[in-house]
Amino acid sequence: MATFSPELTYLCAKDAVEFYEKAFGGVVESGSPMKNDKGQYFFCAVRLPNNARIICFDYAVKKAVYGEEDDGVGQGSRVTMFLNFPEPSAVEAFWKTATENGATVHTELKVGAHTYGALNDPFGYTWSVGVLPDNPSEPEAKKACKESAATAGDSQ
């Protein structure tokens, strides 16, 4: 079965990797980071505590290697990552560590039947965190959507 790994590009991938290690509890996977002769990260795979993987590319190094023109990449984007945790306490622990290490609140964390919140990292990406039921029934899914929509404006 295929897995999803967001591939993100940064102005300084090394700084992003260090942030994800410290704030999100990420671990650099063996075999990475790949660096150029100046010690700049070109590619790095980071494994997060919930076993999700982020692929990080450095824009300047990628541009030098591939000759790409500046298209706004590296400034963050409208992509939002979602980290699914097995239980609310794991979300709360992740949230505490991330906010203590530089992540800012995008949407306040609400813990309960539908635990959810969103954080911004210093590189322009938004990270949604929460607990999703494995296979909700259609009525459960509709109820969760209605509850989310009803509270969506609370923290904005």
Side-chain angles (χ1 to χ4, degrees), residues 79-92:
V79 173
T80 299
M81 271 39 80
F82 182 83
L83 301 178
N84 185 35
F85 289 86
E87 58 192 21
S89 62
V91 177
E92 291 176 291

Side-chain angles (χ1 to χ4, degrees), residues 10-27:
Y10 303 88
L11 290 177
C12 183
K14 184 175 188 287
D15 289 348
V17 168
E18 289 172 357
F19 172 81
Y20 297 136
E21 286 177 311
K22 187 175 180 182
F24 291 0
V27 175

